[in-house]
Protein backbone atom coordinates (compact mmCIF):
# COMPACT_ATOMS: atom_id res chain seq x y z
CA UNK A 1 0.00 0.00 0.00
CA UNK A 2 1.30 3.52 -0.82
CA UNK A 3 2.55 5.46 2.19
CA UNK A 4 0.33 8.41 3.20
CA UNK A 5 1.78 11.77 2.23
CA UNK A 6 3.18 13.95 5.01
CA UNK A 7 1.34 17.15 5.81
CA UNK A 8 2.54 20.66 5.07
CA UNK A 9 0.82 23.73 6.50
CA UNK A 10 1.35 27.47 6.26
CA UNK A 11 -0.63 30.69 6.46
CA UNK A 12 -0.56 34.43 5.95
CA UNK A 13 -2.44 37.06 7.93
CA UNK A 14 -5.08 39.01 6.04
CA UNK A 15 -3.81 42.24 7.51
CA UNK A 16 -2.75 44.11 4.35
CA UNK A 17 -1.19 43.88 0.91
CA UNK A 18 1.32 41.06 0.42
CA UNK A 19 4.93 42.02 -0.27
CA UNK A 20 7.92 40.27 -1.82
CA UNK A 21 9.10 39.26 1.69
CA UNK A 22 5.95 37.15 2.06
CA UNK A 23 6.56 35.70 -1.38
CA UNK A 24 10.23 34.75 -1.03
CA UNK A 25 10.00 33.88 2.68
CA UNK A 26 6.86 31.74 2.62
CA UNK A 27 5.05 31.41 -0.72
CA UNK A 28 8.06 30.43 -2.86
CA UNK A 29 9.11 27.62 -0.47
CA UNK A 30 5.46 26.55 -0.34
CA UNK A 31 5.19 26.48 -4.15
CA UNK A 32 8.44 24.55 -4.47
CA UNK A 33 7.28 21.62 -2.37
CA UNK A 34 3.53 21.63 -1.75
CA UNK A 35 2.68 19.00 -4.32
CA UNK A 36 4.89 16.45 -2.54
CA UNK A 37 2.72 16.77 0.57
CA UNK A 38 -0.89 16.94 1.61
CA UNK A 39 -0.87 20.71 1.80
CA UNK A 40 -2.86 23.37 3.63
CA UNK A 41 -2.72 27.09 2.98
CA UNK A 42 -4.65 29.22 5.45
CA UNK A 43 -5.85 32.80 5.50
CA UNK A 44 -5.17 33.80 9.11
CA UNK A 45 -8.08 36.21 9.50
CA UNK A 46 -8.45 35.81 13.27
CA UNK A 47 -4.75 36.60 13.66
CA UNK A 48 -5.33 39.78 11.63
CA UNK A 49 -7.94 40.88 14.20
CA UNK A 50 -5.14 41.45 16.72
CA UNK A 51 -4.19 44.55 14.75
CA UNK A 52 -6.98 45.31 12.26
CA UNK A 53 -10.30 46.66 13.57
CA UNK A 54 -11.89 47.73 10.29
CA UNK A 55 -14.46 45.12 9.12
CA UNK A 56 -14.63 46.35 5.52
CA UNK A 57 -10.86 46.26 5.20
CA UNK A 58 -10.60 42.80 6.77
CA UNK A 59 -13.27 41.41 4.43
CA UNK A 60 -11.45 42.83 1.41
CA UNK A 61 -8.09 41.52 2.63
CA UNK A 62 -9.50 37.98 2.98
CA UNK A 63 -10.56 38.00 -0.69
CA UNK A 64 -7.24 39.55 -1.66
CA UNK A 65 -5.07 36.95 0.08
CA UNK A 66 -6.92 34.11 -1.68
CA UNK A 67 -6.59 35.92 -4.98
CA UNK A 68 -2.86 36.32 -4.24
CA UNK A 69 -2.48 32.61 -3.49
CA UNK A 70 -4.10 31.73 -6.81
CA UNK A 71 -2.15 34.37 -8.74
CA UNK A 72 1.25 33.09 -7.58
CA UNK A 73 0.24 29.69 -8.93
CA UNK A 74 -1.19 27.61 -6.09
CA UNK A 75 -3.56 25.00 -7.55
CA UNK A 76 -6.66 24.81 -5.31
CA UNK A 77 -7.14 21.18 -6.38
CA UNK A 78 -3.73 20.30 -4.97
CA UNK A 79 -3.76 22.32 -1.73
CA UNK A 80 -6.55 23.01 0.75
CA UNK A 81 -6.93 26.80 0.72
CA UNK A 82 -9.12 27.83 3.66
CA UNK A 83 -10.23 30.62 5.96
CA UNK A 84 -9.22 30.17 9.61
CA UNK A 85 -12.39 31.66 11.11
CA UNK A 86 -14.60 29.21 9.19
CA UNK A 87 -13.06 26.33 11.12
CA UNK A 88 -14.03 27.18 14.69
CA UNK A 89 -12.01 24.19 15.97
CA UNK A 90 -8.93 26.43 15.74
CA UNK A 91 -10.11 28.83 18.43
CA UNK A 92 -11.53 25.95 20.45
CA UNK A 93 -8.18 24.14 20.51
CA UNK A 94 -6.38 27.43 21.19
CA UNK A 95 -8.37 27.77 24.42
CA UNK A 96 -7.41 24.27 25.55
CA UNK A 97 -3.75 25.01 24.76
CA UNK A 98 -4.06 28.38 26.59
CA UNK A 99 -4.79 26.34 29.69
CA UNK A 100 -1.48 24.47 29.30
CA UNK A 101 0.96 27.16 28.13
CA UNK A 102 2.67 29.42 30.71
CA UNK A 103 2.12 33.19 30.41
CA UNK A 104 5.86 33.72 31.02
CA UNK A 105 6.66 31.86 27.78
CA UNK A 106 4.28 34.06 25.80
CA UNK A 107 5.69 37.22 27.35
CA UNK A 108 9.08 36.23 25.92
CA UNK A 109 7.70 36.05 22.36
CA UNK A 110 9.82 38.16 19.96
CA UNK A 111 6.85 39.21 17.85
CA UNK A 112 4.88 40.23 20.96
CA UNK A 113 7.80 42.19 22.43
CA UNK A 114 8.49 43.92 19.07
CA UNK A 115 4.89 44.96 18.63
CA UNK A 116 4.56 46.26 22.16
CA UNK A 117 7.88 48.13 21.78
CA UNK A 118 6.46 49.77 18.64
CA UNK A 119 3.54 51.05 20.68
CA UNK A 120 0.88 48.62 19.46
CA UNK A 121 -1.93 48.03 21.92
CA UNK A 122 -0.94 44.95 23.99
CA UNK A 123 -4.32 43.21 23.82
CA UNK A 124 -4.63 39.64 25.11
CA UNK A 125 -4.95 38.39 21.51
CA UNK A 126 -1.50 39.73 20.72
CA UNK A 127 -0.06 37.86 23.70
CA UNK A 128 -1.79 34.56 22.93
CA UNK A 129 -1.27 34.90 19.16
CA UNK A 130 1.32 32.04 19.13
CA UNK A 131 -1.16 29.72 20.88
CA UNK A 132 -3.73 30.20 18.13
CA UNK A 133 -0.95 29.65 15.61
CA UNK A 134 0.06 26.45 17.44
CA UNK A 135 -3.57 25.28 17.26
CA UNK A 136 -3.68 26.06 13.50
CA UNK A 137 -0.68 23.87 12.90
CA UNK A 138 -1.06 20.89 15.22
CA UNK A 139 -4.78 20.43 14.56
CA UNK A 140 -3.83 18.98 11.15
CA UNK A 141 -1.04 16.67 12.41
CA UNK A 142 1.33 18.85 10.43
CA UNK A 143 4.85 17.64 9.71
CA UNK A 144 6.37 20.72 8.10
CA UNK A 145 5.71 24.48 8.12
CA UNK A 146 7.40 26.68 5.47
CA UNK A 147 7.86 30.17 6.97
CA UNK A 148 10.27 33.10 7.11
CA UNK A 149 12.82 33.37 9.92
CA UNK A 150 10.55 35.73 11.93
CA UNK A 151 8.14 32.84 12.57
CA UNK A 152 10.74 30.35 13.82
CA UNK A 153 9.96 30.96 17.48
CA UNK A 154 6.25 30.48 16.81
CA UNK A 155 6.93 27.00 15.43
CA UNK A 156 8.99 26.23 18.54
CA UNK A 157 5.98 27.29 20.60
CA UNK A 158 3.76 25.01 18.53
CA UNK A 159 6.07 22.09 19.35
CA UNK A 160 5.99 23.12 23.00
CA UNK A 161 2.19 23.25 23.03
CA UNK A 162 1.96 19.80 21.36
CA UNK A 163 4.41 18.40 23.93
CA UNK A 164 2.49 19.85 26.86
CA UNK A 165 -0.80 18.42 25.61
CA UNK A 166 0.74 14.99 24.93
CA UNK A 167 2.29 14.96 28.39
CA UNK A 168 -0.97 15.88 30.10
CA UNK A 169 -3.37 13.73 28.09
CA UNK A 170 -1.35 11.11 26.18
CA UNK A 171 0.13 11.19 22.67
CA UNK A 172 -2.27 13.13 20.46
CA UNK A 173 -0.35 15.71 18.43
CA UNK A 174 2.70 15.65 16.17
CA UNK A 175 5.54 18.10 16.82
CA UNK A 176 5.89 20.17 13.61
CA UNK A 177 9.16 21.34 12.04
CA UNK A 178 9.73 24.73 10.43
CA UNK A 179 11.24 24.93 6.94
CA UNK A 180 13.17 28.15 6.41
CA UNK A 181 14.66 28.82 2.99
CA UNK A 182 18.43 29.32 3.30
CA UNK A 183 19.59 32.67 1.95
CA UNK A 184 16.06 34.11 2.02
CA UNK A 185 15.24 33.80 5.72
CA UNK A 186 14.74 37.56 6.12
CA UNK A 187 13.99 39.66 3.06
CA UNK A 188 15.15 43.24 3.75
CA UNK A 189 12.85 46.19 3.19
CA UNK A 190 13.69 49.43 1.40
CA UNK A 191 15.33 50.74 4.59
CA UNK A 192 17.40 47.59 5.20
CA UNK A 193 15.31 46.40 8.15
CA UNK A 194 13.09 43.30 7.79
CA UNK A 195 10.49 43.95 5.09
CA UNK A 196 7.21 44.31 6.95
CA UNK A 197 3.77 45.85 6.44
CA UNK A 198 4.09 47.51 9.80
CA UNK A 199 7.43 49.21 8.97
CA UNK A 200 6.13 50.75 5.73
CA UNK A 201 9.26 49.53 3.88
CA UNK A 202 7.72 47.04 1.47
CA UNK A 203 7.88 46.28 -2.23
CA UNK A 204 4.31 45.14 -2.97
CA UNK A 205 4.04 41.71 -4.58
CA UNK A 206 1.40 42.81 -7.07
CA UNK A 207 2.42 46.46 -7.31
CA UNK A 208 1.98 48.46 -10.51
CA UNK A 209 5.16 49.49 -12.29
CA UNK A 210 4.80 52.93 -10.71
CA UNK A 211 4.55 51.45 -7.23
CA UNK A 212 7.56 49.21 -7.85
CA UNK A 213 9.54 52.18 -9.17
CA UNK A 214 8.65 54.32 -6.16
CA UNK A 215 9.64 51.56 -3.73
CA UNK A 216 12.92 50.73 -5.49
CA UNK A 217 13.94 54.36 -5.82
CA UNK A 218 13.52 54.69 -2.05
CA UNK A 219 15.90 51.79 -1.28
CA UNK A 220 18.61 53.08 1.03
CA UNK A 221 22.06 52.54 -0.46
CA UNK A 222 24.34 54.11 2.10
CA UNK A 223 26.79 51.23 1.85
CA UNK A 224 28.19 52.73 -1.37
CA UNK A 225 28.22 50.94 -4.69
CA UNK A 226 31.84 49.98 -4.10
CA UNK A 227 30.73 48.03 -1.04
CA UNK A 228 27.85 46.49 -2.96
CA UNK A 229 30.18 45.16 -5.62
CA UNK A 230 32.88 44.14 -3.14
CA UNK A 231 30.22 42.26 -1.32
CA UNK A 232 29.09 40.43 -4.42
CA UNK A 233 32.73 39.59 -5.13
CA UNK A 234 33.54 38.52 -1.61
CA UNK A 235 30.43 36.52 -1.11
CA UNK A 236 31.43 33.92 -3.52
CA UNK A 237 31.20 34.60 -7.21
CA UNK A 238 34.38 32.52 -7.41
CA UNK A 239 34.13 30.46 -4.28
CA UNK A 240 30.45 29.60 -4.50
CA UNK A 241 30.18 30.61 -0.86
CA UNK A 242 26.89 32.49 -0.81
CA UNK A 243 26.70 35.09 1.92
CA UNK A 244 24.24 37.97 1.66
CA UNK A 245 25.28 41.03 -0.33
CA UNK A 246 23.98 44.37 0.94
CA UNK A 247 20.55 45.90 0.67
CA UNK A 248 20.09 46.51 -3.09
CA UNK A 249 21.98 43.38 -3.98
CA UNK A 250 20.17 41.32 -1.35
CA UNK A 251 16.86 42.17 -2.96
CA UNK A 252 18.28 41.74 -6.46
CA UNK A 253 19.69 38.27 -5.77
CA UNK A 254 16.17 37.06 -5.02
CA UNK A 255 15.50 37.47 -8.73
CA UNK A 256 18.84 36.74 -10.41
CA UNK A 257 21.99 34.84 -9.54
CA UNK A 258 25.11 36.65 -8.39
CA UNK A 259 26.86 35.51 -11.56
CA UNK A 260 24.17 37.19 -13.67
CA UNK A 261 24.37 40.38 -11.60
CA UNK A 262 28.10 40.75 -11.25
CA UNK A 263 28.79 42.74 -14.45
CA UNK A 264 25.91 45.12 -13.78
CA UNK A 265 27.20 45.91 -10.30
CA UNK A 266 30.87 46.00 -11.37
CA UNK A 267 30.16 48.37 -14.29
CA UNK A 268 28.00 50.77 -12.30
CA UNK A 269 29.96 51.31 -9.14
CA UNK A 270 29.12 54.99 -8.98
CA UNK A 271 25.72 54.74 -10.52
CA UNK A 272 22.97 53.58 -8.17
CA UNK A 273 20.39 54.87 -10.60
CA UNK A 274 21.40 52.37 -13.29
CA UNK A 275 21.35 49.51 -10.79
CA UNK A 276 17.96 50.55 -9.46
CA UNK A 277 16.57 50.85 -12.98
CA UNK A 278 17.77 47.32 -13.71
CA UNK A 279 16.16 46.09 -10.48
CA UNK A 280 12.86 47.77 -11.46
CA UNK A 281 12.95 45.98 -14.83
CA UNK A 282 13.75 42.63 -13.17
CA UNK A 283 10.96 43.09 -10.62
CA UNK A 284 8.53 44.14 -13.32
CA UNK A 285 9.41 41.06 -15.43
CA UNK A 286 8.81 38.86 -12.41
CA UNK A 287 5.63 40.55 -11.16
CA UNK A 288 3.81 41.44 -14.43
CA UNK A 289 2.59 37.90 -15.32
CA UNK A 290 1.32 37.31 -11.76
CA UNK A 291 -0.37 40.73 -11.76
CA UNK A 292 -2.13 39.87 -15.04
CA UNK A 293 -3.24 36.50 -13.72
CA UNK A 294 -4.48 38.13 -10.52
CA UNK A 295 -6.66 40.55 -12.46
CA UNK A 296 -8.38 37.66 -14.24
CA UNK A 297 -9.52 35.97 -11.00
CA UNK A 298 -13.16 36.70 -10.18
CA UNK A 299 -14.79 37.13 -6.77
CA UNK A 300 -16.94 34.07 -7.54
CA UNK A 301 -13.86 31.94 -8.08
CA UNK A 302 -12.36 33.18 -4.81
CA UNK A 303 -15.56 32.48 -2.91
CA UNK A 304 -15.77 28.95 -4.34
CA UNK A 305 -12.14 28.21 -3.39
CA UNK A 306 -12.72 29.44 0.18
CA UNK A 307 -15.94 27.47 0.59
CA UNK A 308 -14.60 24.21 -0.81
CA UNK A 309 -11.27 24.46 1.00
CA UNK A 310 -12.82 25.41 4.32
CA UNK A 311 -15.23 22.45 4.14
CA UNK A 312 -12.28 20.08 3.62
CA UNK A 313 -10.30 21.64 6.48
CA UNK A 314 -13.37 21.54 8.73
CA UNK A 315 -13.83 17.78 8.18
CA UNK A 316 -10.26 17.05 9.29
CA UNK A 317 -10.27 19.54 12.18
CA UNK A 318 -13.59 18.37 13.61
CA UNK A 319 -12.48 14.71 13.66
CA UNK A 320 -9.32 15.70 15.52
CA UNK A 321 -11.24 17.88 17.97
CA UNK A 322 -13.63 15.02 18.77
CA UNK A 323 -10.55 13.10 19.94
CA UNK A 324 -9.25 16.12 21.88
CA UNK A 325 -12.58 16.72 23.65
CA UNK A 326 -12.66 13.07 24.64
CA UNK A 327 -9.12 13.23 26.00
CA UNK A 328 -9.56 16.39 28.06
CA UNK A 329 -12.82 15.10 29.55
CA UNK A 330 -15.50 17.42 28.18
CA UNK A 331 -17.20 14.78 25.98
CA UNK A 332 -19.78 12.99 28.07
P1 LIG B 1 2.69 37.02 8.26
O1 LIG B 1 1.35 37.24 7.66
O2 LIG B 1 3.34 38.10 9.05
O3 LIG B 1 3.73 36.59 7.15
C1 LIG B 1 3.44 35.53 6.25
C2 LIG B 1 4.72 34.78 5.89
O4 LIG B 1 5.66 35.66 5.28
C3 LIG B 1 6.91 35.56 5.94
N1 LIG B 1 7.58 36.87 5.92
C4 LIG B 1 8.87 37.05 5.57
N2 LIG B 1 9.80 36.18 5.17
C5 LIG B 1 11.03 36.68 4.87
N3 LIG B 1 11.33 38.01 4.94
C6 LIG B 1 10.40 38.92 5.33
N4 LIG B 1 10.70 40.22 5.37
C7 LIG B 1 9.10 38.46 5.68
N5 LIG B 1 7.95 39.05 6.12
C8 LIG B 1 7.03 38.07 6.26
C9 LIG B 1 6.56 35.16 7.37
O5 LIG B 1 7.67 34.54 8.01
C10 LIG B 1 5.43 34.20 7.15
O6 LIG B 1 5.91 32.91 6.84
N6 LIG B 1 1.76 34.21 12.20
C11 LIG B 1 1.86 34.16 10.78
C12 LIG B 1 0.57 33.69 10.10
C13 LIG B 1 0.13 32.36 10.58
C14 LIG B 1 0.73 31.10 10.28
C15 LIG B 1 -0.06 30.13 10.96
C16 LIG B 1 1.86 30.74 9.55
C17 LIG B 1 -0.96 32.10 11.36
N7 LIG B 1 -1.09 30.77 11.61
C18 LIG B 1 0.28 28.78 10.90
C19 LIG B 1 2.18 29.39 9.48
C20 LIG B 1 1.39 28.42 10.16
C21 LIG B 1 2.16 35.57 10.31
O7 LIG B 1 1.87 36.52 10.95
O8 LIG B 1 2.67 35.66 9.11
Amino acid sequence: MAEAKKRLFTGIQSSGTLHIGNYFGALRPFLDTYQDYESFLMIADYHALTSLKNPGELRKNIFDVVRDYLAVGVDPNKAVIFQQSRVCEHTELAWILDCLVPVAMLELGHAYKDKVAKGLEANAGLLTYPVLMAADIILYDTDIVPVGQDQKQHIEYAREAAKKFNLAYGKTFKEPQEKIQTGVAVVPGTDGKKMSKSYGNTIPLFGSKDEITKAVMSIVTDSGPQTEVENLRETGIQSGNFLQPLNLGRIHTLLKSKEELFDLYANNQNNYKAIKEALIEDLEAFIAPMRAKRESITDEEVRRVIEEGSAKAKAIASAKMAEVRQKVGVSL
Side-chain angles (χ1 to χ4, degrees), residues 48 51 56 74 85 108 111 127 147 152 168 190 201 256 258-259 279 289 306:
S51 60
V74 181
S85 63
L108 290 175
L127 180 68
V147 281
K152 185 175 166 36
T190 52
N201 63 359
K256 279 191 163 163
K258 286 174 186 169
E259 286 77 4
L279 176 57
I306 295 181

Side-chain angles (χ1 to χ4, degrees), residues 9-15 18-27 42-45 47 69 84 90 115 129-130 132-137 145-152 154-155 184-189 193-197 201:
F9 187 106
T10 199
I12 295 187
Q13 283 191 73
S14 48
S15 55
L18 296 202
H19 52 74
I20 64 165
N22 297 131
Y23 181 83
F24 288 103
L27 286 173
M42 185 183 75
I43 302 108
D45 55 349
H47 277 109
Y69 285 161
Q84 182 185 38
H90 289 237
K115 286 179 181 159
Y129 181 113
L132 179 56
M133 181 159 162
D136 298 336
I137 297 168
V145 191
V147 281
Q149 178 73 27
D150 61 330
Q151 299 295 316
K152 185 175 166 36
H154 287 159
I155 316 301
V184 186
V186 181
V187 175
K193 287 194 285 186
K194 184 191 100 165
M195 186 174 288
S196 166
K197 288 167 252 197
N201 63 359

Side-chain angles (χ1 to χ4, degrees), residues 221-277:
T221 47
D222 56 4
S223 55
Q226 181 63 38
T227 325
E228 292 271 5
V229 78
E230 279 310 314
N231 215 304
L232 275 176
R233 197 196 311 277
E234 278 168 19
T235 56
I237 297 290
Q238 297 90 344
S239 68
N241 168 25
F242 276 57
L243 296 172
Q244 296 279 16
L246 297 171
N247 215 9
L248 250 187
R250 279 178 74 189
I251 296 176
H252 219 153
T253 47
L254 297 168
L255 303 161
K256 279 191 163 163
S257 71
K258 286 174 186 169
E259 286 77 4
E260 286 173 287
L261 291 174
F262 190 75
D263 285 348
L264 170 73
Y265 280 67
N267 296 335
N268 289 289
Q269 295 192 31
N270 293 311
N271 190 356
Y272 286 138
K273 191 158 175 281
I275 294 179
K276 285 185 170 180
E277 278 163 1

